[in-house]
Amino acid sequence: KCGPATRGGLYCEGADPTDGPASDAICAPRETCEELCTAMGEECASIDMHKWRPRCFLNRAGACAAGGVSADPDCWDLVTREVRSTCFKTTSFGHCPGRQIAIADLPDTVSAHLCLTKCDPVTACTGDQCFCEGRPGLTANNGDDDHAICGDRPFCEALCASTPDCASIDMHTTLPRCYLNKLGSNCCPAVTHPPLVLPTP
């Protein structure tokens, strides 16, 4: 759909100049790539999803095991299919303004991962649950910044699933940073905000 004659169509910003007729690249946002993989059943085991362009590749079962996983964390996420009790649906380029769960209402096991607490320069975080690359640019007592949690998407999804009244996550597209949103009437109308995606259970 994004060849020379039709370039400029929907999500064609995901196209690469090197793409040819034999390319397996799909120009679509994450939610569409997830739906395509799901529709393929067990034949599709995972997705290579570009972090900020609507571009993905669907991987057959066993493909990553056979060819190995090429780590390119700056540009790509490897999205693997799993069976879970709680699944999250993606809304790309949207977020849920003003719906963050109050810090006082977060369980201690969740508030411990607030970026400004966990990634304080004085008490340096150690271990594999830090994700402090998500902290730069945040300042204390600055609205949304105080609610920011440092974690990648699977980590933030797990925190939301374990938090009462968590309805969705505002997830940064390139940084390990998220915000947990609360339940309520007219819960989470997605508002356009390019650096974020809105995963909902």
Side-chain angles (χ1 to χ4, degrees), residues 52-180:
W52 62 85
R53 293 167 60 192
R55 178 181 177 85
C56 70
F57 295 86
L58 305 185
N59 302 318
R60 293 183 181 275
C64 290
V69 177
S70 177
D72 189 2
D74 292 336
C75 297
W76 295 88
D77 283 327
L78 176 64
V79 182
T80 305
R81 288 184 59 167
E82 295 180 358
V83 177
R84 295 184 179 179
S85 58
T86 301
C87 297
F88 287 77
K89 178 178 174 60
T90 303
T91 302
S92 293
F93 311 121
H95 77 133
C96 191
R99 299 296 300 177
Q100 292 95 347
I101 298 174
I103 292 172
D105 294 335
L106 293 173
D108 291 344
T109 53
V110 175
S111 62
H113 296 288
L114 291 166
C115 292
L116 295 176
T117 300
K118 177 168 65 171
C119 300
D120 185 296
V122 177
T123 58
C125 181
T126 58
D128 59 0
Q129 295 187 342
C130 292
F131 302 105
C132 288
E133 309 94 303
R135 189 188 192 284
L138 301 177
T139 56
N141 304 313
N142 188 28
D144 289 349
D145 287 2
D146 293 317
H147 294 84
I149 290 172
C150 282
D152 62 8
R153 176 165 172 163
F155 189 75
C156 291
E157 288 180 352
L159 292 181
C160 182
S162 68
T163 301
D165 296 333
C166 183
S168 66
I169 307 162
D170 291 335
M171 188 74 223
H172 202 283
T173 54
T174 58
L175 298 175
R177 180 194 300 170
C178 67
Y179 305 82
L180 304 190

Side-chain angles (χ1 to χ4, degrees), residues 3-76:
T6 57
R7 198 171 295 276
L10 187 63
Y11 301 122
C12 284
E13 60 269 32
D16 190 278
T18 62
D19 290 340
S23 173
D24 294 328
I26 297 172
C27 290
R30 176 166 172 160
E31 57 266 39
T32 301
C33 295
E34 290 176 346
E35 289 169 0
L36 291 172
C37 186
T38 299
M40 290 177 64
E42 294 183 0
E43 188 177 1
C44 179
S46 63
I47 306 166
D48 294 329
M49 187 74 227
H50 201 280
K51 286 188 174 182
W52 62 85
R53 293 167 60 192
R55 178 181 177 85
C56 70
F57 295 86
L58 305 185
N59 302 318
R60 293 183 181 275
C64 290
V69 177
S70 177
D72 189 2
D74 292 336
C75 297
W76 295 88

